[in-house]
Amino acid sequence: MNFPLFADQPTALCQNRMQVHDIRRETPDVWTLSLFSHAVYPYQPGQFALVNIGTRGDIQRAYTLSSTPGVSRFVTLTVRNIENGAGSGWLTQQVKPGDYLWLSDAQGEFTCSSQQPLLLLAAGCGVTPVMSMCRDVLKRTPAQSVAVFYSVRSPKDVIFAAEWQQLAAQYPQLHLTILAEQDALPGQITGRLNQDLLQTQVPDIRSRRVMICGPAAYMQLAESWALALGAAAENIVTEQFQAAAAPVSEEHQLTLTRLTPLLSCRVPVGTTLLAAMEQYDISVTAACRAGVCGSCKTRILSGNYHTTSQMTLTDADVAQGYVLACSCQLQGDVTLA
Ligand code: FES
């Protein structure tokens, strides 16, 4: 089905129309948009949605649904305004209350239905799914212990600051630790999360389900500490939506060739296929940019590459050379269909 590319129309991926009720500034660079949905919008705490961006609606970006079904009055998106970020700049600076947005169905596996005690580790904007899950668990299963470690640069960067205070005061089963790299306030810890801190503060980590969301490097470290402290690998979940960017070597170049129409270009080894295609205006749709939504599915005929996600691909797709361009690092000369 073809959809017109106007802001007031759905697109193939985003067919849930919502009206912006209000926009609240959380920190100097993070805003929460509260959205009113006339229809039921099913989602689970911790999931994300793709959002049509701009007046043409021809690009999508993925944002965590920071609200909690059954608890929050509105569906909310909490968005950091990233410099030169097409999606975040539009959502935080141009969209106004009363405007309409189009969202995809909720997606993602970073959800929690376990009754196990929880250890939730978040850094920066990675706190958005953590807050969504926290509200849900605290209200739904009062016997479930929830330990949260939330890392920020400084106290002014704490997202949902007032709500965290209120939850910590209301729910004794919530053990909240805020770590600020600088200017920590009384009750906060100065510095970054580390293995010693987890060892002393969460002695029962082996029995907890560990859920981690933040920048890729943070997630890798936090996962390694949890494993070193005895948490079982099957009990550790990281948010793949925050996937790591591959290191790129500027010194070694490869040739990317497309057969129809013929195009040949040079890009550094380690570049993602998506970045290479966008750089050379090869048509590609990319919504989540993290190997989750499947919108950037692309066929490679031959070449040397490795992939970090095949989440939406079937075995038959992979056998035919399909990859998710956002999750495909080019290692040698590659030919596209
Ligand atoms: S853009 Fe979503 S999987 Fe690549």
Side-chain angles (χ1 to χ4, degrees):
M1 188 185 294
N2 291 322
F3 292 95
L5 295 176
F6 295 104
D8 58 351
Q9 296 292 324
T11 55
L13 284 170
C14 299
Q15 303 201 17
N16 300 284
R17 187 181 194 235
M18 301 198 191
Q19 187 167 27
V20 180
H21 180 272
D22 65 82
I23 302 173
R24 185 177 67 248
R25 194 168 192 170
E26 301 278 358
T27 74
D29 59 355
V30 175
W31 282 259
T32 291
L33 294 87
S34 296
L35 310 178
F36 182 75
S37 175
H38 291 276
V40 174
Y41 181 70
Y43 66 103
Q44 296 174 48
Q47 287 193 301
F48 68 89
L50 308 177
V51 182
N52 277 356
I53 298 299
T55 53
R56 287 173 54 82
D58 52 353
I59 58 172
Q60 287 82 36
R61 291 289 183 270
Y63 297 99
T64 300
L65 299 157
S66 55
S67 48
T68 305
V71 177
S72 305
R73 188 169 163 218
F74 298 102
V75 172
T76 64
L77 305 173
T78 300
V79 180
R80 181 185 301 284
N81 184 16
I82 298 166
E83 199 177 339
N84 300 322
S88 64
W90 184 73
L91 283 169
T92 61
Q93 306 301 310
Q94 296 185 42
V95 169
K96 298 283 178 289
D99 289 351
Y100 287 94
L101 298 179
W102 290 93
L103 274 66
S104 73
D105 291 345
Q107 303 182 31
E109 309 293 325
F110 193 71
T111 60
C112 181
S113 56
S114 166
Q115 304 279 312
Q116 264 181 278
L118 291 174
L119 171 59
L120 305 176
L121 305 176
C125 250
V127 79
T128 52
V130 164
M131 173 55 95
S132 174
M133 286 188 287
C134 251
R135 288 191 207 100
D136 178 64
V137 170
L138 293 172
K139 185 172 180 199
R140 194 169 40 81
T141 53
Q144 192 171 5
S145 167
V146 182
V148 175
F149 289 74
Y150 175 23
S151 298
V152 292
R153 283 209 190 87
S154 72
K156 69 178 176 7
D157 298 313
V158 174
I159 302 170
F160 313 126
E163 189 174 5
W164 280 122
Q165 298 279 340
Q166 182 244 313
L167 289 176
Q170 184 177 356
Y171 294 100
Q173 70 270 37
L174 171 63
H175 306 280
L176 172 67
T177 304
I178 293 179
L179 301 102
E181 285 178 33
Q182 57 197 39
D183 306 326
L185 298 175
Q188 300 178 345
I189 290 179
T190 302
R192 298 185 176 188
L193 186 67
N194 58 66
Q195 185 172 327
D196 289 346
L197 188 70
L198 286 177
Q199 186 166 22
T200 53
Q201 303 273 320
V202 198
D204 59 350
I205 191 170
R206 288 164 186 257
S207 66
R208 290 182 180 261
R209 185 164 181 79
V210 183
M211 305 193 67
I212 310 169
C213 189
Y218 168 87
M219 290 198 294
Q220 283 168 11
L221 275 174
E223 182 175 13
S224 69
W225 296 329
L227 287 168
L229 294 172
E234 62 268 24
N235 269 336
I236 302 175
V237 187
T238 55
E239 171 57 300
Q240 294 307 313
F241 165 37
Q242 314 259 348
V248 171
S249 162
E250 294 294 341
E251 290 164 18
H252 303 102
Q253 301 263 314
L254 58 84
T255 302
L256 176 68
T257 306
R258 188 179 63 166
L259 294 182
T260 51
L262 188 62
L263 170 83
S264 198
C265 48
R266 302 277 289 164
V267 295
V269 171
T271 305
T272 65
L273 177 57
L274 177 62
M277 293 175 80
E278 289 181 331
Q279 183 180 350
Y280 288 94
D281 290 330
I282 300 173
S283 174
V284 60
T285 301
C288 71
R289 295 173 174 267
V292 176
C293 73
S295 66
C296 63
K297 180 178 169 183
T298 302
R299 188 169 179 214
I300 293 180
L301 294 179
S302 65
N304 184 4
Y305 56 90
H306 78 257
T307 60
T308 54
S309 170
Q310 299 180 330
M311 203 178 277
T312 63
L313 301 177
T314 64
D315 290 346
D317 287 336
V318 174
Q320 290 174 48
Y322 282 101
V323 297
L324 299 175
C326 66
S327 306
C328 172
Q329 274 96 43
L330 304 177
Q331 300 299 320
D333 292 351
V334 162
T335 303
L336 303 182

